[in-house]
């Protein structure tokens, strides 16, 4: 029996990309205000700086990765000495613009009638800064108290510990195939893939359920069959390996 529903944050509950873009637009405007050397710098270049640093820093806290990306952006215009203030500007704008998808509030209301709700993320989208204050019985953040990021099994073990119920009573809901479907199943949790964009399902693994919107989730969970270890093959078909959302 399912008792607990735990959500990923970015691109699952939170419409992150417009907020990140808005933060970078604020950064670019400030760069151009400070120096004519920034006149030729483009928003596309600032957006690309995340990917340029991510590979080397993928295990680091998301805020550190963003600061490294901003440092690369500022170096394009000789503004490297202003990282702290520009980072503060970015994060202030990014959090001010970060809000839940429209389907999130009604889904949480419906689910809370039957389940304990949790929030567990690799990113720096703290619930109280993103329009989700008070929505969850518990919250788990990678890198707090040394907790490694998804897909490390320790992350899901922490979710199970704080939830206080057996892993098979927990379903993890998220948009990343590797982080929110494959890895939770390996850790003994159930999983639901939120496929907002109609992507093809990777071969070789069957999630407990797939939804295109969280409006479908209450009904899907109520109809979910009992857990069975022979329903999936966790050894193959990992599918697309996504990086963390560019927070």
């Amino acid at each position: 029996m399912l008792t607990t529903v735990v959500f990923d944050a970015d691109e699952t509950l939170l419409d992150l990309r417009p907020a990140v873009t808005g933060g970078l637009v604020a950064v670019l405007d400030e760069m151009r205000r400070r120096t004519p050397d920034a006149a030729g710098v483009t928003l596309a270049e600032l957006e690309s700086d995340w990917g340029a640093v991510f590979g080397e820093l993928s295990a680091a806290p998301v805020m550190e990765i963003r600061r490294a990306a901003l440092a690369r952006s500022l170096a394009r215009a000789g503004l490297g000495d202003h990282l702290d203030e520009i980072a503060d500007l970015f994060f202030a704008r990014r959090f001010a613009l970060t809000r839940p998808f429209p389907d999130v509030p009604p889904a949480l209301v419906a689910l809370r009638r039957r389940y304990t709700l949790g929030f567990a993320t690799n990113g720096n989208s703290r619930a109280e800064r993103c329009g989700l204050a008070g929505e969850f019985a518990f919250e788990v953040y990678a890198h707090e108290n040394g907790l490694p990021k998804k897909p490390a099994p320790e992350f899901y073990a922490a979710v199970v510990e704080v939830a206080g119920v057996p892993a098979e009573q927990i379903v993890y809901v998220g948009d990343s195939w590797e982080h929110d479907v494959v890895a939770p199943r390996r850790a003994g949790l159930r999983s639901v893939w939120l496929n907002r964009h109609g992507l093809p399902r990777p071969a070789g693994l069957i999630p407990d359920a797939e939804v295109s919107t969280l409006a479908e989730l209450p009904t899907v969970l109520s109809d979910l069959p009992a857990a069975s270890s022979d329903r999936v093959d966790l050894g193959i078909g990992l599918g697309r390996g996504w990086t963390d959302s560019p927070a």
Side-chain angles (χ1 to χ4, degrees), residues 57-97:
L57 298 173
S58 59
V62 173
M63 192 166 289
E64 289 185 15
I65 302 173
R66 175 52 66 189
R67 282 180 60 88
L70 288 172
R72 181 182 173 92
S73 299
L74 293 173
R76 296 178 182 277
L79 292 171
D81 292 340
H82 300 279
L83 176 59
D84 287 343
E85 56 201 285
I86 295 296
D88 288 345
L89 172 66
F90 170 81
F91 285 114
R93 188 63 178 154
R94 173 260 202 252
F95 281 114
L97 294 173

Side-chain angles (χ1 to χ4, degrees), residues 130-142:
C130 300
L132 293 172
E135 293 284 354
F136 305 100
F138 61 87
E139 300 170 21
V140 176
Y141 297 94

Side-chain angles (χ1 to χ4, degrees), residues 196-220:
R196 291 189 181 276
H197 304 293
L199 299 174
R201 182 186 294 182
L205 187 146
I206 302 172
D208 288 289
E210 177 181 335
V211 296
S212 61
T213 169
L214 291 182
E216 302 169 24
L217 193 57
T219 299
V220 164

Side-chain angles (χ1 to χ4, degrees), residues 19-93:
V20 170
T21 298
L24 292 177
V25 167
V27 167
L28 185 57
D29 288 345
E30 182 64 12
M31 290 172 63
R32 289 172 175 171
R33 188 187 70 80
R34 288 173 180 259
T35 175
D37 292 340
V41 179
T42 68
L43 178 61
E45 287 175 323
L46 268 60
E47 290 174 332
S48 72
D49 287 332
W50 171 272
V53 303
F54 181 84
E56 186 175 340
L57 298 173
S58 59
V62 173
M63 192 166 289
E64 289 185 15
I65 302 173
R66 175 52 66 189
R67 282 180 60 88
L70 288 172
R72 181 182 173 92
S73 299
L74 293 173
R76 296 178 182 277
L79 292 171
D81 292 340
H82 300 279
L83 176 59
D84 287 343
E85 56 201 285
I86 295 296
D88 288 345
L89 172 66
F90 170 81
F91 285 114
R93 188 63 178 154

Side-chain angles (χ1 to χ4, degrees), residues 6-244:
V6 182
F7 293 93
D8 168 58
D10 299 332
E11 305 303 332
T12 296
L13 298 179
L14 300 170
D15 192 5
L16 178 65
R17 294 186 185 278
V20 170
T21 298
L24 292 177
V25 167
V27 167
L28 185 57
D29 288 345
E30 182 64 12
M31 290 172 63
R32 289 172 175 171
R33 188 187 70 80
R34 288 173 180 259
T35 175
D37 292 340
V41 179
T42 68
L43 178 61
E45 287 175 323
L46 268 60
E47 290 174 332
S48 72
D49 287 332
W50 171 272
V53 303
F54 181 84
E56 186 175 340
L57 298 173
S58 59
V62 173
M63 192 166 289
E64 289 185 15
I65 302 173
R66 175 52 66 189
R67 282 180 60 88
L70 288 172
R72 181 182 173 92
S73 299
L74 293 173
R76 296 178 182 277
L79 292 171
D81 292 340
H82 300 279
L83 176 59
D84 287 343
E85 56 201 285
I86 295 296
D88 288 345
L89 172 66
F90 170 81
F91 285 114
R93 188 63 178 154
R94 173 260 202 252
F95 281 114
L97 294 173
T98 305
R99 288 294 179 266
F101 287 101
D103 60 351
V104 170
L108 296 181
V109 169
L111 290 165
R112 193 176 293 107
R113 299 187 187 112
R114 184 171 180 180
Y115 306 102
T116 299
L117 303 186
F119 181 88
T121 177
N122 274 357
N124 52 20
S125 291
R126 300 195 68 88
E128 71 275 8
R129 298 192 69 181
C130 300
L132 293 172
E135 293 284 354
F136 305 100
F138 61 87
E139 300 170 21
V140 176
Y141 297 94
H143 293 291
E144 283 194 353
N145 301 314
L147 183 66
K149 296 165 74 171
K150 297 184 288 184
E154 294 89 346
F155 183 92
Y156 308 98
V159 170
V160 173
E161 181 177 5
V162 72
V165 298
E168 61 268 21
Q169 293 185 19
I170 303 170
V171 61
Y172 196 89
V173 181
D175 68 302
S176 166
W177 188 262
E178 179 183 358
H179 289 177
D180 305 329
V181 175
V182 177
R185 291 304 306 271
R186 284 181 171 155
L189 287 71
R190 313 294 294 277
S191 66
V192 171
W193 186 33
L194 176 60
N195 185 9
R196 291 189 181 276
H197 304 293
L199 299 174
R201 182 186 294 182
L205 187 146
I206 302 172
D208 288 289
E210 177 181 335
V211 296
S212 61
T213 169
L214 291 182
E216 302 169 24
L217 193 57
T219 299
V220 164
L221 292 183
S222 66
D223 294 339
L224 208 62
S228 174
S229 61
D230 62 0
R231 293 184 65 248
V232 299
D233 178 358
L234 297 177
I236 60 173
L238 300 188
R240 180 178 175 185
W242 295 332
T243 63
D244 285 353

